[in-house]
Amino acid sequence: MRSWKWREHHICYTHPVKRTQVEIHWRLNPDSGKETDFELLWKRSRFSSYTQTPVRMLEQEDLWAYLVTHGARHGWFRLRWLLDIDQMIRSMPLDVKKLERRLKAEGRLSIGSQALHLASDLLNTSLDVEYRSLMSLSDRTGKRLANEGAKFMNDMLESPADMKSYPSYLFKLRSTKQKWFFFIERLYPSTWDVDQLPLPRSLFFLYFPLRPFLWFWRRIKRYTVTERGKV
């Protein structure tokens, strides 16, 4: 359970009749390393005026940073997500210096740059000097990520996960520090290891040295099953 909670960020519940879906988050994003502390997010939060019962919302700058990260993670395959960014830039008095600090603290400057490139190029979003300065902080990577995101939009897929290039795209979204964290995290045992080779709790420490062999074993079995299916 701890391994799963570390790698994931939410669990979904769907109403059996109305099909309304609620996501319970313990993190904003999956498998991404350092994030802003919940207590700090709560302290900076604001109340929504759209409902009769007050509901807390993320601070505008925290919301913008989250929405660009969420859109990037899903390849912006729903254009309405990018339209949200466009409307926030056009109508909300956002503190761009705060946006810069939020994105920099979590290693997401390139993701912010990607969103600004896409909004400017596809929706003709007008960017003032401050937004262009933010975009230029990771301009080359942001432009490259924008081009890859445009491919997911162009193919009109139900999910970008259907494209073979999606895993490598997700990896490119990470900062250098997050990439190192990704590799270190993969050294830790997973639930797959436990399912594959059940051990008594007193011997759980053996999953660490056994993990490379268990991973290789799974790859061989998956390849073998695939090949058999072609025959």
Side-chain angles (χ1 to χ4, degrees):
M1 177 61 73
R2 286 195 296 270
S3 172
W4 178 77
K5 285 175 66 179
W6 186 22
R7 289 179 169 88
E8 299 299 329
H9 67 304
H10 74 272
I11 189 168
C12 295
Y13 294 92
T14 304
H15 193 284
V17 178
K18 297 180 180 180
R19 308 308 298 168
T20 304
Q21 187 180 87
V22 175
E23 293 182 357
I24 307 299
H25 281 245
W26 52 90
R27 298 174 60 172
L28 290 178
N29 303 286
D31 196 18
S32 57
K34 183 182 178 182
E35 285 193 336
T36 304
D37 182 70
F38 171 78
E39 296 299 332
L40 185 54
L41 290 173
W42 184 265
K43 184 179 179 181
R44 295 198 299 235
S45 66
R46 56 203 166 100
F47 284 102
S48 168
S49 59
Y50 297 110
T51 56
Q52 292 182 346
T53 303
V55 176
R56 283 190 180 268
M57 299 173 61
L58 289 171
E59 177 198 50
Q60 291 181 349
E61 288 76 17
D62 284 329
L63 178 62
W64 196 91
Y66 170 71
L67 290 179
V68 298
T69 304
H70 178 267
R73 187 170 72 250
H74 292 287
W76 297 102
F77 78 102
R78 288 180 179 153
L79 283 173
R80 68 173 181 266
W81 293 338
L82 190 60
L83 188 61
D84 289 338
I85 304 305
D86 168 79
Q87 290 300 304
M88 290 182 76
I89 292 173
R90 292 177 188 270
S91 61
M92 283 188 177
L94 296 169
D95 185 330
V96 181
K97 288 298 181 184
K98 275 188 180 181
L99 293 180
E100 180 183 331
R101 290 196 295 270
R102 304 284 191 271
L103 295 170
K104 189 174 183 179
E106 297 188 4
R108 307 188 198 282
L109 284 174
S110 60
I111 289 176
S113 180
Q114 178 203 40
L116 293 172
H117 273 292
L118 288 172
S120 176
D121 294 344
L122 300 181
L123 302 178
N124 294 318
T125 306
S126 179
L127 303 178
D128 61 20
V129 175
E130 287 188 312
Y131 277 110
R132 291 197 174 276
S133 176
L134 175 60
M135 185 169 65
S136 69
L137 292 175
S138 187
D139 190 65
R140 184 180 299 179
T141 304
K143 190 176 295 184
R144 186 168 64 249
L145 292 174
N147 289 333
E148 295 209 25
K151 294 176 185 177
F152 298 127
M153 298 177 187
N154 188 58
D155 285 1
M156 299 292 287
L157 298 174
E158 286 295 321
S159 168
D162 296 332
M163 294 184 69
K164 290 183 178 180
S165 60
Y166 184 59
S168 63
Y169 163 78
L170 287 179
F171 188 74
K172 292 173 186 175
L173 291 178
R174 300 171 182 273
S175 66
T176 302
K177 187 175 181 179
Q178 288 168 347
K179 287 175 181 175
W180 278 109
F181 182 82
F182 173 85
F183 287 120
I184 293 171
E185 187 183 41
R186 286 335 182 249
L187 297 176
Y188 279 75
S190 70
T191 52
W192 289 346
D193 299 326
V194 178
D195 290 339
Q196 189 177 1
L197 182 64
L199 292 174
R201 183 170 293 275
S202 60
L203 297 179
F204 268 21
F205 68 93
L206 292 177
Y207 284 120
F208 284 92
L210 288 173
R211 179 159 172 73
F213 303 100
L214 294 174
W215 177 85
F216 184 70
W217 184 11
R218 283 196 299 272
R219 297 284 293 185
I220 291 295
K221 287 180 66 177
R222 189 183 310 166
Y223 177 78
T224 304
V225 170
T226 303
E227 288 299 307
R228 285 175 179 172
K230 293 179 181 179
V231 177

